[in-house]
Every structure is written in C-alpha cells, then in structure tokens.
Amino acid sequence: GLPDPNRAYRLRLIGQWKTEEFEKEQGQVRRLDLTGIVDGPGVYVFAPKYRGGSLGLTVSRAALVSFDKAKPEEAREEAADAHSAHVGAWVKDGIYRLELKEYDPARGYALLAAIRGGKTTHGEFYFRKLRE
C-alpha cells in the first residue's frame, strides 16, 4: 500500500525477444506497453539487453507514443530517437533517450521499437526514467 516515489527510476523489464519471432520477418516494429510505467514528463531511456544466440539485435529507432485508452491503435508520437544500435556479443549505441515534454494521465503510453533479429538471438527490453 505505500506509494513508491522512485518506481519510475528503477530499471523495468518491459518485454523480450526470441529467435522464433524473427522466422517470418527479420525486420519489425515491436510495440511494448508502458502504461503505468511512464508517470510524468522527463527523460526516459530504452535499452535492449542481449542474452544469447549466434547474432544479436539491431535497433534503428525508438519512439515513445501516447494513445487514447479507448483507441490504442491511434497512437501519437511524443518523442523519438533514431540511430543505429547493435546489442549482441558487442554493443554499439544501445541506449535510446526519449524526452516526454507533456504527460497526460488519462492517456496510455507505449514504446515502438524498429528492430531486426538474426538467425538465433534472444534478450530483453528495459526501460526507466532518468533523474535530472
């Protein structure tokens, strides 16, 4: 029952990826729900973490979107970071910064990540708010 004022600042597991998810389509946009995690304006970070496989994961873009909870398919982009990243046996530019300028508690929030997986790969997606 006690409110946790530091909850948004803790690293949170928001999803994962597995080899099987890339069998039909190697490149895809993954939607990860952040409702209940995003709690106000500020800078948030998205970080995929490779856990195993012969190849890692590449990410080209991450976007923080909001949506009317009654119409989740109608998302509005709030922030985006587009750069080439790789997470695997080696990591290059694996953190995405997303600055949310205005927060609306009546809206839902999600992350859209443009990803590409290899022949065998698995890992996890993490998200948290930065202290400023």
Side-chain angles (χ1 to χ4, degrees), residues 27-89:
Q28 53 192 255
V29 175
R30 185 73 53 96
R31 183 177 175 138
L32 303 161
D33 188 43
L34 299 174
T35 305
I37 296 174
V38 171
D39 70 347
V43 177
Y44 292 84
V45 294
F46 165 66
K49 301 288 183 193
Y50 167 78
R51 297 294 183 210
S54 63
L55 296 171
L57 183 82
T58 60
V59 183
S60 58
R61 186 174 197 275
L64 179 60
V65 299
S66 70
F67 54 89
D68 181 322
K69 292 178 183 176
K71 299 176 185 173
E73 68 283 353
E74 295 179 16
R76 177 178 71 210
E77 189 172 287
E78 302 289 348
D81 183 352
H83 68 266
S84 214
H86 178 270
V87 293

